[in-house]
Amino acid sequence: MIRPVLRMGDPRLLQVSRPVTDFANPALARLLADMEETMAYHDGAGLAAPQIGVDLRVVIFGIDANPRYPEAPAVPRTVLINPQLTFPDEEEEEGWEGCLSVPGLRGVVPRRKRLRYAGFDAQGRRFERSVEGFHARVVQHECDHLDGILYPLRMRDFSRFGFVEELFGESAPPEE
Ligand code: NI
């Protein structure tokens, strides 16, 4: 079921979410199905459970390569539950972000360039990955939602924040 996406200003987006404890609960499978459907409907690159009003540490993300937007290379379709993020070094890079909870806007956000993340898939199997660049950016954006952080709270330069049509025309970075 396509669920309404909460927008910035809704206090539920500022909450710290709870870990999943029961991977066998059918409500988890329903939540994931709803998240997939909602993300696909909005053509998003990612979605976190709090964005549909569920305060659990669950995110999904993934994007196919799109030649119109070479700065957003393919990221594998992933379900990530109870994520743990670690950073192998201090290096940051800037990149444009959008968010389904901040629709129609884009801003430049500094993120760590390299990321190691671990967590559980839909069946409760642990996995981990070392990633960098856009993949690392998407995971940091989604996991921030689990701690009540929206990307504008990470921005340092609001001269690079605005409406997508004015900034990009057709080739806008995806919302997540
Ligand atoms: Ni977002």
Side-chain angles (χ1 to χ4, degrees):
M1 187 172 67
I2 297 168
R3 305 270 292 264
V5 177
L6 307 185
R7 295 195 302 171
M8 187 167 65
D10 189 306
R12 288 172 286 178
L13 289 170
L14 302 176
Q15 291 176 348
V16 176
S17 294
R18 299 175 293 123
V20 170
T21 53
D22 181 4
F23 286 88
N25 190 331
L28 178 62
R30 282 198 298 274
L31 170 65
L32 289 168
D34 286 358
M35 289 175 68
E36 301 279 359
E37 221 177 314
T38 303
M39 184 174 100
Y41 176 77
H42 291 286
D43 205 17
L47 187 71
Q51 291 181 277
I52 58 168
V54 176
D55 68 333
L56 288 172
R57 302 186 80 77
V58 176
V59 304
I60 62 171
F61 52 86
I63 187 170
D64 300 324
N66 183 340
R68 282 197 327 202
Y69 193 64
E71 282 182 56
V75 176
R77 307 246 156 216
T78 302
V79 168
L80 177 61
I81 300 172
N82 298 349
Q84 293 176 295
L85 276 49
T86 52
F87 302 102
D89 60 50
E90 304 271 298
E91 192 177 342
E92 289 185 348
E93 66 184 5
E94 295 185 321
W96 287 95
E97 293 186 22
C99 181
L100 293 169
S101 296
V102 193
L105 293 161
R106 298 293 186 276
V108 169
V109 184
R111 298 281 185 190
R112 294 294 186 88
K113 182 174 181 181
R114 278 172 282 274
L115 167 69
R116 185 170 188 83
Y117 66 94
F120 298 86
D121 68 12
Q123 285 74 42
R125 293 176 298 223
R126 191 174 185 281
F127 68 101
E128 57 181 60
R129 288 180 181 149
S130 289
V131 300
E132 61 177 56
F134 183 66
H135 188 156
R137 174 172 299 279
V138 169
V139 176
Q140 289 171 79
H141 176 117
E142 295 313 326
C143 292
D144 263 357
H145 279 294
L146 306 180
D147 293 324
I149 299 168
L150 297 167
Y151 81 81
L153 297 171
R154 297 277 190 199
M155 290 183 59
R156 296 183 192 138
D157 176 6
F158 284 89
S159 70
R160 290 180 293 167
F161 183 53
F163 290 95
V164 65
E165 293 88 352
E166 277 70 10
L167 288 165
F168 294 101
E170 293 272 291
S171 59
E175 290 177 324
E176 39 182 306

